[in-house]
Amino acid sequence: DIQMTQSPSSLSASVGDRVTITCRASQSISSYLNWYQQKPGKAPKLLIFAASNLQSGVPSRVSGSGSGTDFTLTISNLQPEDFATYYCQQTYSKPETFGQGTKVEIK
Amino acid sequence: QVQLVESGGGLVRPGGSLRLSCAASGFTFSDYYMTWIRQAPGKGLEWLSYISSRDNTIYYADSVKGRFAISRDNAKNSLFLQMSSLRAEDTAVYYCARGEYSSSSLDYWGQGTLVTVSS
């Protein structure tokens, strides 16, 4: 199985900051990498698919990059609604494993 | 609009069985693959099982292989997860999610249903 490792596990940031979350795969997954946002008590929401493609309706301050084994989710000009937990997921092979999550908290 | 509504969760004793359902609406169900994901209390997301749109290609996570069975009824726009030999560690919120082939991503999720395994 492919292991997905996110870093950091949590971070504190202020409104207006730029935050970067990384996700590393245990083997190359090409661009088969998705990012999801989850708020407490809610289902996850797709933000980025295929490493760098913004899902419809997601603000352009969210972006993704990377290929192979190393990927990045960047949120610029952090807004109050961005405080949440973020997960990466590889869909290169089954099981389609998730990272352990990164919690973005208010500083 | 796209809706996925899970049902069937509840309290079950260790060793017991439960069948989860996911009712889909607002899209052509048979065009999409479907996936079950769970989240234990305070923990991250765990991918459980996949079923293809039409030919019933199926995959399971090792943690549930041999105990859980995924199925779908395209005529009734429904997805199922039959769970047996349940353990305390199966306690979680279970989500169904729609899989989009072209993007290989889970673009819509249900609200989840809680399964609690306890004596």
Side-chain angles (χ1 to χ4, degrees), chain B residues 4 7 13 16 19 23 30 39 41 43 45-47 49 62-63 74-75 86 89 92 94 110 118:
Chain B
L4 297 169
S7 60
R13 296 192 187 278
R19 189 193 197 207
S30 57
Q39 187 169 36
K43 302 298 184 182
L45 302 172
E46 181 186 10
W47 182 95
S49 185
D62 285 347
S63 58
N74 285 345
L86 284 162
E89 54 265 36
Y94 286 71
S118 174

Side-chain angles (χ1 to χ4, degrees), chain B residues 56-108:
Chain B
N56 281 341
T57 297
I58 286 171
Y59 297 92
Y60 295 103
D62 285 347
S63 58
V64 303
K65 198 175 296 182
R67 300 188 301 123
F68 289 12
I70 191 172
S71 62
R72 64 189 294 162
D73 184 337
N74 285 345
K76 294 184 178 180
N77 295 335
S78 294
L79 174 73
F80 306 100
L81 187 67
Q82 179 68 47
M83 306 186 295
S84 60
S85 302
L86 284 162
R87 309 164 179 165
E89 54 265 36
D90 295 318
T91 294
V93 174
Y94 286 71
Y95 295 101
C96 65
R98 185 181 90 165
E100 217 287 325
Y101 279 107
S102 63
S103 64
S104 191
S105 65
L106 303 173
D107 61 353
Y108 283 92

Side-chain angles (χ1 to χ4, degrees), chain A:
Chain A
D1 297 359
I2 298 174
Q3 308 302 316
M4 306 301 293
T5 304
Q6 289 181 232
S7 61
S9 296
S10 65
L11 64 90
S12 296
S14 301
V15 171
D17 283 354
R18 180 187 188 202
V19 299
T20 298
I21 300 168
T22 63
C23 179
R24 175 163 289 176
S26 60
Q27 66 183 72
S28 177
I29 58 170
S30 184
S31 295
Y32 289 89
L33 190 284
N34 305 316
W35 290 98
Y36 301 88
Q37 176 196 63
Q38 187 181 33
K39 296 181 179 179
K42 300 294 186 181
K45 170 189 170 184
L46 177 65
L47 298 178
I48 298 282
F49 63 91
S52 60
N53 295 275
L54 199 64
Q55 174 69 352
S56 176
V58 175
S60 58
R61 64 177 183 276
V62 177
S63 63
S65 64
S67 66
T69 60
D70 295 317
F71 301 86
T72 299
L73 176 72
T74 300
I75 308 173
S76 303
N77 186 23
L78 202 66
Q79 296 298 299
E81 59 267 29
D82 299 328
F83 292 95
T85 300
Y86 295 84
Y87 294 92
C88 62
Q89 180 209 20
Q90 65 82 19
T91 55
Y92 181 80
S93 68
K94 308 292 190 288
E96 294 180 346
T97 40
F98 290 90
Q100 81 279 15
T102 296
K103 187 173 184 178
V104 177
E105 299 176 298
I106 301 173
K107 185 183 286 184

